[in-house]
Amino acid sequence: MKGIKKFKIDTKELSQKEKVLFKKLISAAELMAPLYLKQKNNKYPGANFYPYDATKEEIERAARKNPAILSSYTFVERDKTGKLIAIPYHLKFKKELKSISELLEEAADLSEDKNFSLYLRSRAKSLLDDNYEKSEIIWLKTGPFKFGFIIGPIERYLDKLFFKKCAYQSWVGFLDEQKTKEAGKFKNAILTGRRKILSGSEKAEISKLGIRIDRTAIFSGLIADFMFTGTNLPNDVKLMEKYGSKLTIFESSLESKFKGDHLPIFKAVFDKKFQKSYSEEDLYKGSLRCILLHEISHSLIRYRDAEERLKDLFPIFDELYAYILGIKNCGTLFLKGVMNQKELEAILIMHICRNFTWWLDSMKNPDVKHYAIGAAIAQNFFLKEGAMREKGGISWPNFTKLFICINELSRLLEYYLAVGSYEEAKEFIEEYSSFNVFKRFSSQLTKISKLK
C-alpha cells in the first residue's frame, strides 16, 4: 500500500489483550496514509496545501487578513469568487478522521496504562478539532509508554513554499528497554556539558529530554516516505522549553537503512584496504550512534526566531547542524571514556555514508532535498579543507583533520541558526551545496541507486 512501510518484529512478549490493542494502533496508522497522499505533490513547492495558481505574495497578502491561511492545519483553496480561504484539516477529512479517532478510543479501552489511555483519548479528540497541544503535553509529561505511538499532522517538509503546513504521519512500535538504557548513557554525557550562547541570539533552553529506542512495526504517511531513523518532538519551541522533548530512534528503520544503504555505500566508495579495518558490527554501532547523537543535539540548537529568519532554508541548517553538533559532542564522550577511538572513527565514516544516502534518496523523493543539500555542504566542506583524499574511492579520511572540520563547520552553522540572516545563509548554501561531490562516485553507486 502506498504511503506505508511495515517491518517484521517479534510480538511474543505482548499479552493477548496488548496484541489486540497493538492491532488497533496499526489499523489507525494505516488510515493515515491516504490522507497524507492527498497532501503530497512533488510537482509543486506548496504540495497540495495551496492552489497551484496562487503566488507566494498572494498567499502572504491573504494571510495578513486571515492568519488561518498559514495555519499548520489548513488547506488553502479558492471560493467561488476566487478569494483564498482556509479549510481546516478536521473538516476536509471529517469522515476519515472520525474512523481513526474511534480506533484510538477502542485502543484506550484496552490499555492497562492509565496515562497511555489518557494520551490516546486526548489524541483522538485532537484529530477531530486540530487542537494538538493538550495531547502533546500529556505525551511529554508522561511515559515512557511500552508502546511507541504517534499519529497526526507533524512534520512540515512537504511545504516548500512556507515550511508551515504539517503532513499526516504515524508510527507504531514498542520499547527496546536494553538499548534505551544504553542510549541514556550517551544522552547524560552530552547534556551535562554547557555550551556558550552566541550574543544576540534567542536561544531556547530545553530542560528535559526523554529518549527511547523502538522496535518499529509500521511507518505511515510522511515518515514512510522519508524513512526516518530517528525523530525529536515536539516541533513547537515554546512547548519544548516548558515541557521538554522526546526523541525516538527507530531500530527497524535503522537496520533497513544500514543494510540497504549505509553498508553498501561504505563498500562502494571507500578504498578496499581501508574497509578491512572496520567490521560490520563496528559500522552498525557507528550508524546507530550517528543518528542518536543527531537527535540528542536537536534539543541543543533551538532558537525562537530561527524559522522566521531563515524561512525555507531553516530545515537545511536545522538538520545539518544537528548531525554536525552530534559528532562534535563525540569529543566530550571520548574524553569521558564513553567511547574509544575506533568507535569515534566509525561514527565519522557512517556520517560520510549517510551523506551519500541522502543524495541518492533525493533523486527518488524530492521532498528530502533539504537533507541532501545539507549532506552536500558537509561533504564539500570536508574535501575543501583536505580532510578526505580520493583515489579510486575515499582512500583515507584524515580523522584529525575531519574532526577539526567538524568543529569549524559547527561554529559556522550555529551562527546562521542563531543570528544569521536569510541572505547570508543563502550565500553559504550556494558556495558549498554542489552535488558534484557525490556525482563523481556515480559509477560505484550504480547498483545501489539504480541510476542506469
Side-chain angles (χ1 to χ4, degrees):
M1 187 185 300
K2 285 187 177 181
I4 289 177
K5 175 67 177 179
K6 291 187 176 181
F7 307 93
K8 290 184 178 179
I9 61 171
D10 190 351
T11 60
K12 65 182 179 182
E13 69 180 61
L14 300 180
S15 68
Q16 191 58 42
K17 192 175 182 180
E18 287 175 329
K19 287 179 180 178
V20 177
L21 187 161
F22 194 59
K23 287 180 180 178
K24 289 190 180 293
L25 297 180
I26 296 287
S27 296
E30 290 174 337
L31 292 177
M32 274 282 108
L35 307 189
Y36 165 73
L37 294 174
K38 290 178 181 178
Q39 296 175 316
K40 181 183 176 182
N41 186 337
N42 290 333
K43 297 179 181 180
Y44 178 60
N48 287 330
F49 298 120
Y50 312 94
Y52 305 153
D53 62 348
T55 65
K56 194 170 184 179
E57 292 71 24
E58 181 187 9
I59 296 168
E60 288 174 330
R61 285 197 302 272
R64 284 194 284 271
K65 294 181 179 179
N66 178 13
I69 294 288
L70 287 180
S71 161
S72 296
Y73 310 121
T74 61
F75 280 84
V76 180
E77 300 178 359
R78 293 193 186 277
D79 64 14
K80 293 179 180 180
T81 68
K83 179 184 176 182
L84 294 180
I85 59 173
I87 309 295
Y89 288 1
H90 73 274
L91 295 181
K92 191 171 183 68
F93 298 124
K94 185 176 181 178
K95 181 179 179 181
E96 296 93 329
L97 292 170
K98 187 174 184 297
S99 298
I100 298 171
S101 180
E102 288 172 352
L103 281 168
L104 299 193
E105 291 283 1
E106 292 169 9
D109 290 338
L110 291 165
S111 177
E112 295 179 355
D113 184 329
K114 292 182 179 179
N115 287 325
F116 188 57
S117 291
L118 181 63
Y119 165 64
L120 291 177
R121 295 191 197 282
S122 182
R123 205 63 172 177
K125 187 176 184 299
S126 297
L127 292 170
L128 301 180
D129 62 15
D130 288 327
N131 182 2
Y132 289 91
E133 184 171 301
K134 183 177 179 181
S135 57
E136 284 193 337
I137 291 172
I138 292 172
W139 179 69
L140 287 168
K141 290 175 68 175
T142 55
F145 303 127
K146 182 172 187 176
F147 292 101
F149 179 67
I150 291 289
I151 194 166
I154 300 168
E155 302 290 2
R156 296 161 287 177
Y157 299 127
L158 291 191
D159 183 2
K160 300 179 189 65
L161 274 183
F162 295 100
F163 193 59
K164 292 286 187 181
K165 305 297 182 182
C166 292
Y168 280 113
Q169 68 176 25
S170 182
W171 72 77
V172 185
F174 50 92
L175 187 69
D176 185 321
E177 293 185 14
Q178 181 57 39
K179 290 186 177 178
T180 296
K181 186 177 180 180
E182 293 171 3
K185 296 177 183 178
F186 276 74
K187 181 196 77 170
N188 294 335
I190 290 173
L191 296 186
T192 52
R194 293 288 181 183
R195 293 168 55 243
K196 186 178 179 181
I197 299 173
L198 288 180
S199 176
S201 69
E202 296 187 27
K203 181 72 170 62
E205 291 298 329
I206 312 303
S207 59
K208 182 180 178 182
L209 174 63
I211 187 169
R212 64 181 290 143
I213 295 183
D214 264 13
R215 285 169 279 175
T216 317
I218 185 173
F219 281 168
S220 178
L222 180 140
I223 197 170
D225 260 358
F226 282 57
M227 277 291 285
F228 291 144
T229 49
T231 188
N232 192 329
L233 296 173
N235 290 315
D236 188 321
V237 176
K238 291 180 180 178
L239 283 181
M240 290 183 76
E241 280 194 287
K242 192 169 184 179
Y243 301 102
S245 67
K246 286 187 178 182
L247 72 85
T248 303
I249 304 299
F250 305 111
E251 192 174 1
S252 303
S253 174
L254 179 63
E255 289 177 355
S256 175
K257 278 279 188 181
F258 177 75
K259 292 177 182 178
D261 294 315
H262 305 158
L263 185 60
I265 286 170
F266 172 73
K267 293 179 178 179
V269 304
F270 281 89
D271 178 79
K272 299 300 180 185
K273 288 184 179 179
F274 178 79
Q275 291 179 32
K276 293 179 181 179
S277 299
Y278 302 91
S279 69
E280 186 171 326
E281 183 181 359
D282 291 333
L283 297 173
Y284 177 75
K285 285 183 179 178
S287 193
L288 170 61
R289 288 168 175 171
C290 190
I291 187 61
L292 176 61
L293 292 164
H294 168 261
E295 296 301 341
I296 293 172
S297 296
H298 259 305
S299 299
L300 305 175
I301 64 172
R302 300 297 186 185
Y303 295 89
R304 301 181 192 92
D305 62 340
E307 291 184 35
E308 183 180 348
R309 279 186 290 102
L310 300 181
K311 302 174 184 176
D312 56 302
L313 303 182
F314 170 77
I316 298 171
F317 287 91
D318 183 54
E319 294 299 336
L320 176 58
Y321 185 38
Y323 275 117
I324 296 301
L325 182 61
I327 299 171
K328 180 182 177 180
N329 284 331
C330 288
T332 300
L333 299 177
F334 180 74
L335 291 174
K336 291 183 176 181
V338 178
M339 69 170 59
N340 59 38
Q341 176 73 25
K342 189 72 170 285
E343 290 171 326
L344 175 55
E345 291 175 3
I347 290 171
L348 290 164
I349 292 166
M350 283 295 99
H351 172 68
I352 293 169
C353 292
R354 291 178 74 88
N355 288 339
F356 278 94
T357 299
W358 284 122
W359 172 62
L360 294 174
D361 286 352
S362 71
M363 288 186 285
K364 302 173 187 176
N365 180 9
D367 289 329
V368 303
K369 190 176 180 181
H370 61 284
Y371 282 100
I373 292 172
I377 290 171
Q379 210 81 339
N380 279 303
F381 196 87
F382 299 156
L383 279 173
K384 184 178 179 180
E385 300 301 321
M388 294 188 298
R389 294 201 303 268
E390 290 181 39
K391 190 176 180 181
I394 299 174
S395 58
W396 193 268
N398 184 316
F399 289 112
T400 300
K401 279 190 175 182
L402 199 53
F403 207 76
I404 292 171
C405 281
I406 291 288
N407 277 275
E408 177 61 16
L409 185 54
S410 172
R411 184 186 65 79
L412 291 170
L413 294 172
E414 180 166 29
Y415 168 79
Y416 294 116
L417 268 178
V419 296
S421 69
Y422 183 88
E423 290 72 24
E424 289 174 314
K426 187 176 182 181
E427 186 177 335
F428 178 78
I429 289 173
E430 289 172 351
E431 180 178 356
Y432 286 102
S433 63
S434 172
F435 285 165
N436 289 333
V437 71
F438 300 124
K439 291 177 181 177
R440 68 187 72 178
F441 292 91
S442 292
S443 59
Q444 294 106 300
L445 297 169
T446 297
K447 291 181 181 180
I448 303 167
S449 60
K450 299 180 181 178
L451 293 174
K452 292 181 181 180

Coordinates of all heavy atoms in Angstrom, one line a residue, residues 1-4 30-42 47-49 52 75 93 158 167-169 220-222 224-225 367:
M1 N 0.8 -1.2 0.0 CA 0.0 0.0 0.0 C 0.9 1.3 0.0 O 1.9 1.3 0.7 CB -0.9 0.0 1.2 CG -1.9 1.1 1.3 SD -2.9 1.2 2.8 CE -3.6 -0.4 2.8
K2 N 0.5 2.2 -0.8 CA 1.3 3.5 -0.9 C 1.2 4.2 0.4 O 0.2 4.3 1.1 CB 0.8 4.4 -2.0 CG 1.2 3.9 -3.4 CD 0.8 4.9 -4.5 CE 1.2 4.5 -5.8 NZ 0.8 5.5 -6.9
G3 N 2.4 4.9 0.8 CA 2.4 5.6 2.0 C 2.5 4.8 3.2 O 2.4 5.4 4.3
I4 N 2.9 3.5 3.1 CA 3.0 2.7 4.3 C 4.3 1.8 4.1 O 4.6 1.3 3.1 CB 1.8 1.8 4.5 CG1 0.6 2.6 4.9 CG2 2.0 0.6 5.5 CD1 -0.7 1.8 5.0
E30 N -2.5 2.9 9.5 CA -2.7 2.6 8.1 C -3.7 3.6 7.5 O -3.6 4.0 6.3 CB -3.3 1.2 7.9 CG -2.2 0.1 8.2 CD -2.8 -1.3 8.2 OE1 -4.0 -1.4 8.4 OE2 -2.1 -2.2 7.9
L31 N -4.7 4.1 8.3 CA -5.7 5.0 7.8 C -5.1 6.4 7.6 O -5.8 7.3 6.9 CB -6.9 5.0 8.7 CG -7.7 3.8 8.7 CD1 -8.9 3.9 9.7 CD2 -8.3 3.5 7.3
M32 N -3.9 6.7 8.1 CA -3.3 8.0 7.9 C -2.7 8.1 6.5 O -2.7 9.2 6.0 CB -2.1 8.1 8.9 CG -2.5 8.7 10.3 SD -2.7 10.5 10.4 CE -4.5 10.5 10.6
A33 N -2.3 7.0 5.9 CA -1.6 7.1 4.6 C -2.4 7.8 3.5 O -1.9 8.6 2.8 CB -1.2 5.7 4.2
P34 N -3.7 7.4 3.3 CA -4.5 8.1 2.3 C -4.6 9.6 2.5 O -4.6 10.3 1.5 CB -5.9 7.4 2.4 CG -5.6 6.1 3.0 CD -4.5 6.4 4.0
L35 N -4.7 10.1 3.7 CA -4.8 11.5 4.0 C -3.4 12.2 3.6 O -3.5 13.3 3.0 CB -5.1 11.7 5.5 CG -6.3 11.0 6.0 CD1 -6.6 11.6 7.5 CD2 -7.5 11.2 5.2
Y36 N -2.3 11.5 3.9 CA -1.0 12.1 3.5 C -0.9 12.2 2.0 O -0.4 13.2 1.5 CB 0.1 11.2 4.1 CG 1.4 11.4 3.5 CD1 2.1 12.6 3.8 CD2 2.0 10.5 2.6 CE1 3.4 12.8 3.2 CE2 3.2 10.7 2.0 CZ 3.9 11.9 2.3 OH 5.1 12.1 1.8
L37 N -1.3 11.1 1.3 CA -1.2 11.1 -0.1 C -2.0 12.2 -0.8 O -1.6 12.7 -1.9 CB -1.6 9.8 -0.7 CG -0.7 8.6 -0.3 CD1 -1.3 7.3 -0.7 CD2 0.7 8.8 -0.8
K38 N -3.1 12.7 -0.1 CA -3.9 13.8 -0.7 C -3.2 15.1 -0.4 O -3.5 16.1 -1.0 CB -5.3 13.8 -0.1 CG -6.1 12.6 -0.6 CD -7.5 12.6 0.1 CE -8.3 11.4 -0.4 NZ -9.6 11.3 0.2
Q39 N -2.2 15.2 0.5 CA -1.5 16.4 0.8 C -0.2 16.5 -0.1 O 0.2 17.6 -0.5 CB -1.0 16.4 2.3 CG -2.1 16.4 3.3 CD -1.6 16.3 4.7 OE1 -0.7 15.5 5.0 NE2 -2.1 17.1 5.6
K40 N 0.3 15.3 -0.5 CA 1.6 15.3 -1.2 C 1.4 15.6 -2.7 O 0.5 15.2 -3.3 CB 2.2 13.8 -1.0 CG 3.5 13.6 -1.7 CD 3.9 12.2 -1.6 CE 5.2 12.0 -2.3 NZ 5.7 10.6 -2.3
N41 N 2.4 16.4 -3.2 CA 2.5 16.7 -4.6 C 3.9 17.2 -4.9 O 4.2 18.3 -4.6 CB 1.5 17.7 -5.0 CG 1.4 17.9 -6.5 OD1 2.4 17.6 -7.2 ND2 0.3 18.3 -7.0
N42 N 4.8 16.3 -5.4 CA 6.2 16.7 -5.7 C 6.3 17.7 -6.8 O 7.4 18.3 -7.0 CB 7.0 15.5 -6.0 CG 7.2 14.6 -4.8 OD1 7.1 15.1 -3.6 ND2 7.4 13.3 -5.0
A47 N 3.1 21.7 -2.4 CA 2.3 20.4 -2.4 C 0.9 20.7 -2.8 O 0.6 21.4 -3.7 CB 2.5 19.7 -1.1
N48 N -0.1 20.0 -2.1 CA -1.5 20.3 -2.3 C -2.1 21.2 -1.3 O -3.3 21.2 -1.2 CB -2.3 18.9 -2.4 CG -2.0 18.2 -3.7 OD1 -1.7 18.8 -4.7 ND2 -2.0 16.8 -3.6
F49 N -1.3 21.9 -0.5 CA -1.8 22.7 0.5 C -2.3 24.1 0.0 O -3.1 24.7 0.7 CB -0.7 23.0 1.5 CG -0.2 21.8 2.3 CD1 1.2 21.4 2.2 CD2 -1.0 21.0 3.0 CE1 1.7 20.3 2.8 CE2 -0.5 19.9 3.7 CZ 0.8 19.5 3.6
Y52 N -2.5 25.9 -7.1 CA -1.3 25.9 -7.9 C -1.1 27.3 -8.6 O 0.0 27.6 -8.9 CB -1.4 24.8 -9.0 CG -1.6 23.4 -8.5 CD1 -2.3 22.5 -9.2 CD2 -1.2 23.1 -7.2 CE1 -2.5 21.2 -8.7 CE2 -1.4 21.8 -6.7 CZ -2.0 20.9 -7.5 OH -2.2 19.6 -7.0
F75 N -5.9 23.6 4.7 CA -5.6 23.7 3.2 C -6.1 25.0 2.8 O -7.1 25.6 3.3 CB -6.5 22.6 2.5 CG -5.9 21.2 2.5 CD1 -6.1 20.4 3.6 CD2 -5.1 20.8 1.4 CE1 -5.6 19.1 3.6 CE2 -4.6 19.5 1.5 CZ -4.8 18.7 2.5
F93 N -11.3 16.3 6.1 CA -11.2 14.9 6.3 C -12.1 14.4 7.4 O -11.7 13.4 8.1 CB -9.7 14.4 6.5 CG -8.8 14.8 5.4 CD1 -7.6 15.6 5.7 CD2 -9.0 14.4 4.1 CE1 -6.7 15.9 4.7 CE2 -8.1 14.7 3.1 CZ -7.0 15.4 3.4
L158 N 6.9 18.9 3.5 CA 6.2 18.9 2.2 C 6.0 20.4 1.7 O 5.9 20.7 0.5 CB 4.8 18.2 2.3 CG 4.7 16.7 2.4 CD1 3.3 16.2 2.2 CD2 5.7 16.0 1.5
A167 N 2.2 17.7 7.7 CA 1.8 16.5 6.9 C 1.4 15.4 7.9 O 2.1 15.2 8.9 CB 2.8 16.0 5.9
Y168 N 0.4 14.6 7.5 CA 0.0 13.5 8.3 C 1.0 12.3 8.3 O 1.6 12.0 7.3 CB -1.4 12.9 7.8 CG -2.6 13.7 8.2 CD1 -3.3 14.4 7.3 CD2 -3.0 13.8 9.6 CE1 -4.4 15.2 7.7 CE2 -4.1 14.5 10.0 CZ -4.8 15.2 9.0 OH -5.9 15.9 9.4
Q169 N 1.1 11.7 9.5 CA 2.0 10.5 9.6 C 1.7 9.8 10.9 O 1.0 10.3 11.8 CB 3.5 10.9 9.6 CG 4.0 11.7 10.8 CD 5.5 12.0 10.8 OE1 6.1 12.0 9.7 NE2 6.1 12.1 11.9
S220 N 3.7 5.2 8.6 CA 2.6 5.6 7.7 C 2.6 7.0 7.4 O 3.0 7.8 8.3 CB 1.3 5.2 8.3 OG 0.2 5.6 7.5
G221 N 2.3 7.4 6.2 CA 2.3 8.8 5.8 C 3.7 9.3 5.5 O 4.5 8.6 5.0
L222 N 4.0 10.6 5.9 CA 5.3 11.2 5.6 C 6.5 10.4 6.0 O 7.4 10.2 5.3 CB 5.3 12.6 6.2 CG 6.6 13.4 5.9 CD1 6.3 14.8 5.7 CD2 7.6 13.3 7.1
A224 N 6.9 7.3 6.3 CA 7.1 6.1 5.4 C 7.8 6.5 4.1 O 8.6 5.8 3.6 CB 5.8 5.5 5.0
D225 N 7.6 7.7 3.7 CA 8.3 8.3 2.5 C 9.7 8.7 2.8 O 10.7 8.4 2.1 CB 7.6 9.5 2.0 CG 6.7 9.2 0.8 OD1 6.7 8.1 0.3 OD2 6.1 10.2 0.3
D367 N 11.2 15.5 -1.8 CA 10.8 16.0 -0.5 C 12.0 16.0 0.5 O 11.9 16.7 1.5 CB 9.6 15.3 0.1 CG 8.3 15.7 -0.7 OD1 8.2 16.8 -1.2 OD2 7.4 14.8 -0.8

